Amino acid sequence: MQQFPDGFLWGVASAGHQIEGGNVHSDTWFAEHVRPTVFREPSGEACHGWELWREDVDLAAGMNLNSYRFSVEWARVEPAEGEFSAEALAHYAAIAGYCLARGLAPVVTFNHFTSPHWFAMRAGWLNPEAPALFARYCDRVMAAFGMRIALAVTMNEPDLPALLAWAGLPPVVRELERATLAAASDAAGVPRYRMSNVVLPEERDAICDGMTAGHRAARAAIKARRPDLPVGFALALVDDQVYGPDASLRDRKRAEVYQRWLELAREDDFIAIQNYERLYYDAERSVNPDGTPAAGGPMTGRDPASLGCCARYAHEETGVPVIVTEHGMLTDDDTERAAFIEPSLRGLRAAMADGVPVLGYHHWTLMDNFEWIFGYEGKLGLHSVDRETFARTPKPSAAVYAALVKEQRRG
């Protein structure tokens, strides 16, 4: 594989709610415990990451990496509206500081899906005051440790609800999402309990409007504290390919799912991309790579070429540098994961050779964690986690990635 440039960020990614445990003031925690709920199981203690964060940073440093992406939990920083926790802010400041001490650039996500319970009680991103509330929280984070942050990611995958609308999910899932929000509204005693990753189809555009305004407000707040800090957001990108001569269906998907966000990213310092799969479309439907109909809707296509293609597409549409903040494989077979890393990076490097400015690569994820509605069934980690002792054990893929990075950084 061609050498990556000096200064390239090699990292792993994590998210607060998915690893910390006990995030009791968040909307997701609340929704996990209502009945019915779309969440397979509660997050509970997750990976005990709130207590074991030094060990996790050490794991990343021990893999020869120079970057660590983590998220700040808004619900911990502002557990009640207008009440900010000095303890939580100091906790996240300590993580960022320890990253720097271990030679890791802190890539910080300000909102990784989860928001405070009180925010959801006020209709979440449907609330006209939401952007200002989010910006106020971002300002407090910046005041606490903004000088320690290497890159700021305001929010994670705001395009996910639109992307899932193309995923061919069975109607029962949509019905359960609706029932979850209804149960949460009833339990909270409010008309509309709303989240950012459980979204009703008829409210999707309005929520996207709120999040668009929220990103702009957050960016302004971050820049007000530190004008030199690069700011962007993370976009979920499928490598959508065309089978045959007619690209109209693929292009309609791109317009509905990504276009608004790619246009927004043109105002930013970078676009963060998160890619896991490649899908094919003919003029009428989702198809297999050979053009045969994809029974039951779009298929998950694991193709290492997808990462480089997504980097090209994101840069072509935005004109700004790209950073990979998530990329990996959902599988119980770690040999598949290990074999997927190098060819994916080779494709990314080829895109860079063709002029796509890519700042870094973060593998999702450091360890098996809480994967939202799938609970603890989905395995994407480079380390396994004992569900009782929380001991982290490296998988072969961790060694493969560490060796690859060591060779690149030595070169």
Side-chain angles (χ1 to χ4, degrees):
M1 181 166 56
Q2 186 177 356
Q3 202 71 26
F4 281 73
D6 293 340
F8 189 84
L9 295 179
W10 294 102
V12 285
S14 66
H17 187 83
Q18 293 178 264
I19 66 170
E20 288 177 351
N23 191 22
V24 299
H25 297 295
S26 72
D27 54 358
T28 304
W29 181 279
F30 190 75
E32 292 163 12
H33 290 85
V34 301
R35 292 294 179 272
T37 180
V38 72
F39 293 92
R40 185 188 299 272
E41 58 186 315
S43 53
E45 286 301 303
C47 301
H48 219 54
W50 183 260
E51 291 77 15
L52 299 178
W53 62 269
R54 286 182 184 84
E55 179 177 337
D56 295 337
V57 173
D58 286 340
L59 287 177
M63 293 172 63
N64 309 310
L65 306 178
N66 61 0
S67 182
Y68 181 58
R69 179 195 178 206
F70 68 94
S71 75
V72 177
E73 279 297 316
W74 184 1
R76 293 188 187 273
V77 170
E78 192 178 3
E81 184 177 356
E83 297 180 11
F84 292 89
S85 168
E87 177 188 3
L89 287 166
H91 173 89
Y92 291 115
I95 296 176
Y98 192 58
C99 283
L100 292 172
R102 294 304 317 269
L104 299 165
V107 176
V108 176
T109 307
F110 286 68
N111 182 248
H112 197 115
F113 289 141
T114 47
S115 298
H117 174 57
W118 61 263
F119 184 78
M121 287 180 66
R122 294 187 57 183
W125 292 104
L126 294 176
N127 178 3
E129 298 178 4
L133 294 169
F134 183 50
R136 180 179 65 179
Y137 148 72
C138 292
D139 174 72
R140 294 300 182 99
V141 172
M142 287 298 297
F145 65 97
M147 293 307 295
R148 299 178 182 179
I149 298 174
L151 287 93
V153 179
T154 59
M155 55 184 63
N156 188 73
E157 298 185 347
D159 64 324
L160 183 63
L163 184 61
L164 291 177
W166 281 78
L169 298 176
V172 65
V173 175
R174 292 303 186 196
E175 293 166 5
L176 192 51
E177 288 181 329
R178 189 176 296 275
T180 300
L181 293 176
S185 299
D186 289 343
V190 296
R192 290 191 300 180
Y193 194 93
R194 293 296 183 261
M195 307 165 67
S196 64
N197 61 342
V198 180
V199 174
L200 301 179
E202 65 270 22
E203 294 177 348
R204 188 168 60 234
D205 287 346
I207 286 178
C208 286
D209 289 344
M211 296 183 81
T212 298
H215 168 68
R216 286 188 168 120
R219 183 181 60 211
I222 293 167
K223 291 285 192 180
R225 289 280 182 180
R226 194 177 147 198
D228 66 309
L229 179 60
V231 180
F233 62 89
L235 194 66
L237 274 182
V238 172
D239 180 22
D240 298 307
Q241 295 288 329
V242 178
Y243 182 87
D246 192 335
S248 57
L249 183 61
R250 190 281 307 270
D251 291 347
R252 180 162 69 85
K253 178 186 179 180
R254 285 183 166 182
E256 292 181 7
V257 178
Y258 314 123
Q259 195 59 40
R260 135 196 319 257
W261 305 108
L262 293 169
E263 291 176 0
L264 178 63
R266 294 169 189 166
E267 307 169 8
D268 292 335
D269 300 305
F270 62 86
I271 177 67
I273 65 169
Q274 310 197 153
N275 167 248
Y276 293 91
E277 58 196 351
R278 163 179 281 185
L279 297 175
Y280 290 83
Y281 296 91
D282 65 13
E284 300 177 353
R285 59 197 166 187
S286 172
V287 297
N288 297 320
D290 62 1
T292 58
M299 296 177 62
T300 296
R302 297 168 176 170
D303 190 322
S306 67
L307 182 62
C309 288
C310 284
R312 294 173 192 271
Y313 172 58
H315 179 61
E316 286 170 1
E317 292 294 321
T318 64
V320 299
V322 173
I323 183 167
V324 180
T325 42
E326 288 185 24
H327 175 260
M329 179 182 287
L330 174 65
T331 180
D332 291 333
D333 184 352
D334 190 64
T335 59
E336 293 184 5
R337 178 179 298 105
F340 194 64
I341 298 173
E342 195 273 343
S344 296
L345 288 169
R346 193 185 312 127
L348 184 67
R349 185 65 187 87
M352 296 171 67
D354 288 341
V356 179
V358 181
L359 306 176
Y361 170 89
H362 298 78
H363 193 90
W364 182 272
T365 176
L366 177 62
M367 70 194 105
D368 294 335
N369 58 27
F370 179 74
E371 283 295 341
W372 309 109
I373 66 171
F374 303 107
Y376 292 98
E377 268 199 11
K379 300 292 191 292
L380 289 109
L382 297 168
H383 297 74
S384 61
V385 178
D386 187 289
R387 297 299 319 136
E388 295 184 2
T389 67
F390 303 106
R392 284 89 159 113
T393 302
K395 301 178 186 179
S397 57
V400 167
Y401 184 38
L404 187 154
V405 174
K406 182 177 182 179
E407 183 65 26
Q408 283 290 324
R409 295 187 69 191
R410 182 169 57 197

